[in-house]
Amino acid sequence: MLHRAGNAIAAVVGRVGRGLRSPGPERDDLLLGAKSVGAATSAWILARHLLPAPVTTFAPFTVLVVLQATVYRSVRECARYLMAMAAGAVLAAGLAALAGIHWWAFASLVLLGLAVGRFRPFGGQGAQVAVVGLFAFSAGGGRLAYIGHLTASVAIGAACGIGAHLLLAPARHTRRHQASVAAVGREVSADMRLLADASVTGDGDVDAVKHLRGEWRRLASTCDRLHGEVDAETENSLLNPRRTVDPRDEAMPRAREALTIIQRSLDHLQSMTRTLEYALADGHIQSVPPSFRSEYAAFLHRVSDVLEEIGQAERTDARRLEEHFAVTGDQLRHLQQPQVAQDAPTIQGTLLTDAARLIADVRSHLHIIAVSA
């Protein structure tokens, strides 16, 4: 147990050290924590000087509820919390006025607060309907004066929380995410060239091809992770006063579309590699005409160039991309012509099907990537 505690402490210390040394998620967490402490303390000081003691706690509590990782999420949670507070206060005031302060009125308030809090507009703040209602009912007796002070305390907390974000907005990591997507595109492109050179030409090693299948799975998992990071950065751009590196704010949509194209391509590459692995293991690859193998390798080399260009951080010129696709289309149509050898139709047919699906998937997702310079 002490060993696990020591590891946990070491992990926290390491995370703090990385945050102090370089920008990234660790530094973002440190800054968010610092802003939370500063904003909560400021809200408590203001509420303590301006409002009665029973409601001062709501100011720093509101800061902790409101201050989220992004400005957009903070504004969203602030709006939800304010709605929940208003609903709880109305329930408490209404029951106190109609029924008085009794145990059964308190129980009714809890029941109504939990029921109202389940409404979808409250989101994750639904429980606050009952919480605020309980405070307004038990501590304030449902009096409008107490509810007014409570509302003022919440307003102070919301202002301090949102103000902290506006004064020191979350950092933008557009370039870092673009570089990560570009790195994945380069890895997929390089592995495609290995597949073309070592396997499709007929002299490939079965273990090397099997290793590529593992690489496709690893890269697909990396794409899943990057999808989440790009989505988070897209949210971070909403309402963020910091300027983006892309004047038209297209960087993250293009990066996400590039990831989608790469990930769909990986599905077809896994199927293609599985076919080649079996063909190499059984020796059937030698029955495929050498001309087909060499042309298929050239086709994969061209597609690898396309994927690398799609994943790059810079905008892709639509005309240049169309030129690439014109060449790959010609190569694919030439491959699809009837072959002289008829002793390996299954292997050739499967490879051609994967190639056609690969090109169709890439082309169908280019409406954001192919932006003319």
Side-chain angles (χ1 to χ4, degrees):
M1 186 173 180
L2 290 176
H3 179 69
R4 288 197 297 269
N7 289 339
I9 293 173
V12 171
V13 172
R15 188 174 180 85
V16 171
R18 289 191 298 272
L20 293 174
R21 286 193 301 270
S22 60
E26 292 86 358
R27 177 170 293 181
D28 293 342
D29 289 343
L30 287 179
L31 289 176
L32 181 61
K35 285 189 288 187
S36 298
V37 172
T41 304
S42 300
W44 179 76
I45 292 173
L46 288 173
R48 186 166 177 266
H49 283 82
L50 298 176
L51 300 171
V55 299
T56 54
T57 305
F58 277 93
F61 176 74
T62 301
V63 170
L64 299 181
V65 170
V66 165
L67 202 55
Q68 303 289 322
T70 66
V71 179
Y72 170 80
R73 198 179 306 173
S74 296
V75 172
R76 183 190 65 193
E77 293 305 311
C78 180
R80 287 174 172 176
Y81 182 67
L82 291 176
M83 288 191 299
M85 183 213 68
V90 168
L91 288 176
L95 280 173
L98 295 174
I101 308 298
H102 303 287
W103 69 266
W104 55 270
F106 183 87
S108 300
L109 174 63
V110 174
L111 179 62
L112 287 173
L114 292 175
V116 172
R118 295 178 67 87
F119 289 175
R120 183 174 296 179
F122 294 118
Q125 302 299 331
Q128 301 302 328
V129 176
V131 171
V132 173
L134 294 181
F135 272 96
F137 188 86
S138 60
R143 298 188 305 273
L144 293 179
Y146 179 89
I147 293 175
H149 290 146
L150 186 152
T151 303
S153 182
V154 169
I156 290 173
C160 288
I162 299 299
H165 259 333
L166 295 178
L167 288 175
L168 187 60
R172 303 292 302 276
H173 300 296
T174 305
R175 292 191 185 278
R176 179 163 62 84
H177 293 308
Q178 286 179 305
S180 297
V181 173
V184 170
R186 287 192 297 270
E187 282 193 72
V188 173
S189 179
D191 286 343
M192 283 188 70
R193 295 187 183 102
L194 291 177
L195 181 67
D197 294 339
S199 302
V200 183
T201 53
D203 58 354
D205 181 17
V206 176
D207 291 334
V209 176
K210 186 180 297 185
H211 175 72
L212 284 177
R213 287 181 62 189
E215 282 295 294
W216 302 142
R217 289 192 292 269
R218 180 186 66 81
L219 289 168
S221 177
T222 300
C223 287
D224 284 336
R225 175 179 59 80
L226 290 177
H227 264 300
E229 293 180 2
V230 168
D231 287 343
E233 183 59 32
T234 300
E235 180 187 282
N236 188 32
S237 69
L238 301 174
L239 305 180
N240 196 319
R242 290 180 184 250
R243 292 178 60 85
T244 178
V245 296
D246 191 319
R248 292 193 291 174
D249 208 17
E250 294 171 345
M252 287 300 95
R254 284 190 287 110
R256 196 182 198 290
E257 199 69 10
L259 280 174
T260 299
I261 292 173
I262 292 171
Q263 201 159 21
R264 286 180 175 272
S265 299
L266 287 170
D267 293 337
H268 302 300
L269 289 170
Q270 288 190 58
S271 175
M272 192 181 299
T273 307
R274 184 165 52 249
T275 300
L276 290 167
E277 181 185 338
Y278 294 151
L280 285 167
D282 297 338
H284 291 163
I285 191 68
Q286 297 298 335
S287 62
V288 179
S291 59
F292 178 88
R293 298 200 305 264
S294 61
E295 290 173 8
Y296 202 84
F299 167 80
L300 287 180
H301 275 287
R302 176 66 66 170
V303 177
S304 71
D305 293 337
V306 171
L307 290 180
E308 185 171 359
E309 186 163 350
I310 285 173
Q312 68 183 4
E314 295 78 14
R315 296 178 185 177
T316 302
D317 191 299
R319 291 184 297 274
R320 186 168 64 249
L321 204 57
E322 282 299 325
E323 291 173 0
H324 279 306
F325 268 103
V327 175
T328 56
D330 291 341
Q331 289 175 320
L332 182 59
R333 283 188 293 272
H334 189 266
L335 284 167
Q336 290 171 333
Q337 292 176 357
Q339 301 295 318
V340 175
Q342 298 297 321
D343 54 352
T346 302
I347 297 175
Q348 291 179 223
T350 303
L351 291 175
L352 287 173
T353 299
D354 288 331
R357 289 174 176 172
L358 173 62
I359 291 299
D361 252 348
V362 172
R363 182 181 287 277
S364 65
H365 288 80
L366 288 180
H367 56 285
I368 295 179
I369 295 294
V371 178
S372 297

